[in-house]
């Protein structure tokens, strides 16, 4: 077995298959004309204040609905004042006409402040404080998973990704349905289990660790790879090395190791173009419903939009909107760049 991909995958246009979603991405390596010079940029100096009197997430401040935030010390969680879902959303009447279907959607939205410090990012926080953030995610899964089928933890970081406020925070949306993306992953992981009697992402991580070429970071319990089927230039997948269906299944040592690997990944991202790297990230794991969920494997997706510099982003337009995703820079080159970028 060869350790690296066939040479033609670095030279000729081809489509790669995403086994998690069943979708394809068009890769056009012949268009990536700019070789990387190995330059590592220094992060831009930031002069943000530790406390912003106008920030609706800082301790002691008033939020839009008039509530006052407590003087919290580490993590602070509240129900979103502008929720996209309501827990008493009775539609009255569902619609089932084939061309006009509408179903009730019940749920809740929360905001998690990672730190009382307005000026920090997750990348800049201490590992012990990132561990508290992970623990807060686990607590939300346990609490909301009692009521709702799907709990989506996600973070939009940076103005480019539409984050409304630099104060370090993420969101949790819980819904009594399986949304589109987890629905595809449910189907494909289940089919893989039936066909191979093993776990898709567990097989995947062990094969990636053998091949090495797309591995960005490997630790005792976790690995970060640029997936073979990545769409965004520096997209990554954070994967446990043991079978872990849901975040609440993580052991203590795995939680600590995750805090370490997240910090390393985020510091690499920040060093890549010398900017606090914008991204949307989020977690996928087994839904909270009865039945066998053992085909599921916990993982995080990082989707950063930047392509070449702090300001040049990839656009998902035209062919992407109308046909399928396309990229020039190969996932292998992106992984090598991230791997070689120092994490500190
Ligand atoms: P984003 O930065 O990812 O947009 O998250 C901020 C969330 O905070 C956003 O969903 C909520 C917005 O609805 N919010 C409040 O709940 N209360 C406020 O006072 C302002 C913003
Ligand atoms: Zn703040």
């Amino acid at each position: 077995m060869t350790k690296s991909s066939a040479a033609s995958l670095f030279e000729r246009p081809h489509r790669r298959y995403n086994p998690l979603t069943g979708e394809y991405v068009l890769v056009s390596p012949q268009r990536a004309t700019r070789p990387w010079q190995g330059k590592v940029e220094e992060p831009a100096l930031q002069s943000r204040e530790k406390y912003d009197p106008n920030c609706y997430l800082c301790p002691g401040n008033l939020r839009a609905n008039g509530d006052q935030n407590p003087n919290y010390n580490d993590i602070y969680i509240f129900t979103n004042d502008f929720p996209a879902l309501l827990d008493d959303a009775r539609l009255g009447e569902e619609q089932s006409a084939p061309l006009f279907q509408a179903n009730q959607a019940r749920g809740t939205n929360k905001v998690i402040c990672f730190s009382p410090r307005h000026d920090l990012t997750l990348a800049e926080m201490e590992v012990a404080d990132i561990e508290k953030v992970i623990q807060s995610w686990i607590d939300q899964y346990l609490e909301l998973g009692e009521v709702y089928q799907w709990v989506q933890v996600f973070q939009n970081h940076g103005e480019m990704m539409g984050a409304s406020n630099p104060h370090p925070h993420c969101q949790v949306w819980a819904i009594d349905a399986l949304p589109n993306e987890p629905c595809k992953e449910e189907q494909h992981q289940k089919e893989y289990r039936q066909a191979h009697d093993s776990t898709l992402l567990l097989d995947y991580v062990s094969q990636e660790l053998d091949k090495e070429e797309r591995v960005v970071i490997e630790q005792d319990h976790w690995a970060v790879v640029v997936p073979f089927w990545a769409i965004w230039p520096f997209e990554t997948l954070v994967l446990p090395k043991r079978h872990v269906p849901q975040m609440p299944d993580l052991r203590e040592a795995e939680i600590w190791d995750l805090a370490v690997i997240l910090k390393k990944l985020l510091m690499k991202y920040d060093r890549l173009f010398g900017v606090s790297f914008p991204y949307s990230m989020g977690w996928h794991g087994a839904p909270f419903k009865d039945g066998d969920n053992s085909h599921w494997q916990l993982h995080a997706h990082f989707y950063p939009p930047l392509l070449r510099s702090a300001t040049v982003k990839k656009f998902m337009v035209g062919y992407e909107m109308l046909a399928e995703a396309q990229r020039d820079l190969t996932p292998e080159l992106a992984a090598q760049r991230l791997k070689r970028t120092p994490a500190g």
Side-chain angles (χ1 to χ4, degrees):
M1 198 175 82
T2 57
K3 231 180 166 179
S4 63
S5 299
S8 56
L9 293 193
F10 300 113
E11 291 157 8
R12 309 282 304 161
H14 58 278
R15 294 168 78 216
R16 295 192 185 187
Y17 179 68
N18 180 339
L20 263 183
T21 62
E23 290 164 356
Y24 285 86
V25 52
L26 173 62
V27 185
S28 314
Q30 78 286 0
R31 293 218 306 191
T33 48
R34 291 165 159 250
W36 184 50
Q37 303 299 337
K39 184 168 171 284
V40 175
E41 311 206 28
E42 289 303 318
L45 284 178
Q46 290 177 335
S47 58
R48 280 183 282 129
E49 300 291 335
K50 291 182 181 171
Y51 167 77
D52 177 351
N54 297 314
C55 167
Y56 55 79
L57 300 179
C58 274
N61 289 0
L62 285 185
R63 294 208 309 276
N65 70 344
D67 282 1
Q68 185 178 22
N69 295 328
N71 280 311
Y72 62 98
N73 292 317
D74 36 48
I75 303 281
Y76 173 53
I77 304 176
F78 63 92
T79 299
N80 199 310
D81 302 315
F82 307 100
L85 288 153
L86 301 170
D87 63 9
D88 63 350
R90 294 210 11 233
L91 197 59
E93 198 184 329
E94 303 212 333
Q95 287 194 190
S96 56
L99 300 183
F100 300 92
Q101 297 181 40
N103 303 326
Q104 171 177 295
R106 208 168 54 84
T108 188
N109 302 159
K110 294 194 185 186
V111 178
I112 304 181
C113 300
F114 294 160
S115 163
R117 287 267 305 267
H118 184 82
D119 58 330
L120 290 183
T121 65
L122 204 52
E124 294 161 339
M125 286 169 57
E126 302 287 340
V127 172
D129 293 326
I130 299 175
E131 192 187 25
K132 287 182 192 169
V133 170
I134 299 167
Q135 195 56 58
S136 78
W137 294 338
I138 294 172
D139 294 345
Q140 289 303 304
Y141 278 110
L142 291 172
E143 186 188 316
L144 297 171
E146 288 281 317
V147 187
Y148 301 106
Q149 193 183 143
W150 186 251
V151 180
Q152 185 61 61
V153 169
F154 68 96
Q155 181 193 9
N156 299 320
H157 176 66
E159 266 175 65
M160 200 178 266
M161 292 312 288
S164 58
N165 185 328
H167 195 115
H169 69 283
C170 76
Q171 299 196 44
V172 187
W173 291 23
I175 181 166
D176 66 349
L178 203 53
N180 293 344
E181 293 303 314
C183 199
K184 291 180 235 170
E185 294 191 355
E186 157 76 18
Q187 183 200 332
H188 287 88
Q189 289 179 106
K190 198 174 203 166
E191 285 172 6
Y192 186 91
R193 162 58 59 98
Q194 282 158 1
H196 303 275
D197 198 24
S198 58
T199 309
L200 194 161
L201 284 177
L202 203 54
D203 287 358
Y204 178 65
V205 75
S206 81
Q207 289 173 38
E208 284 291 25
L209 291 172
D210 276 351
K211 293 179 193 290
E212 288 176 17
E213 64 188 330
R214 280 171 298 272
V215 179
V216 177
I217 313 170
E218 182 186 358
Q219 291 191 170
D220 289 350
H221 303 288
W222 293 86
V224 174
V225 304
V226 175
F228 181 73
W229 53 83
I231 287 175
W232 293 95
F234 294 96
E235 175 178 337
T236 53
L237 202 50
V238 181
L239 295 163
K241 287 158 73 172
R242 169 181 81 86
H243 185 206
V244 180
Q246 280 180 325
M247 204 183 282
D249 299 324
L250 288 175
R251 298 173 183 151
E252 225 170 278
E254 292 167 332
I255 296 174
W256 177 262
D257 204 52
L258 174 58
V260 174
I261 209 167
L262 286 179
K263 181 166 175 83
K264 282 187 189 166
L265 173 63
L266 292 173
M267 288 174 78
K268 281 174 175 285
Y269 273 150
D270 286 2
R271 292 296 289 276
L272 194 61
F273 298 131
V275 65
S276 182
F277 213 62
Y279 59 81
S280 273
M281 72 81 80
W283 286 91
H284 287 156
F288 293 84
K289 59 178 175 59
D290 295 337
D292 182 16
N293 276 326
S294 62
H295 49 283
W296 269 91
Q297 174 74 331
L298 176 71
H299 58 279
H301 296 278
F302 277 81
Y303 297 133
L306 292 181
L307 176 61
R308 253 201 301 277
S309 70
T311 50
V312 180
K313 63 169 276 193
K314 173 180 175 57
F315 287 95
M316 287 284 193
V317 294
Y319 192 79
E320 276 92 352
M321 281 180 159
L322 292 150
E324 67 188 12
Q326 186 272 340
R327 63 181 295 145
D328 298 344
L329 177 73
T330 62
E332 293 70 35
L333 278 175
Q336 282 162 34
R337 286 190 55 177
L338 279 172
K339 187 177 177 172
R340 283 194 236 128
T341 303

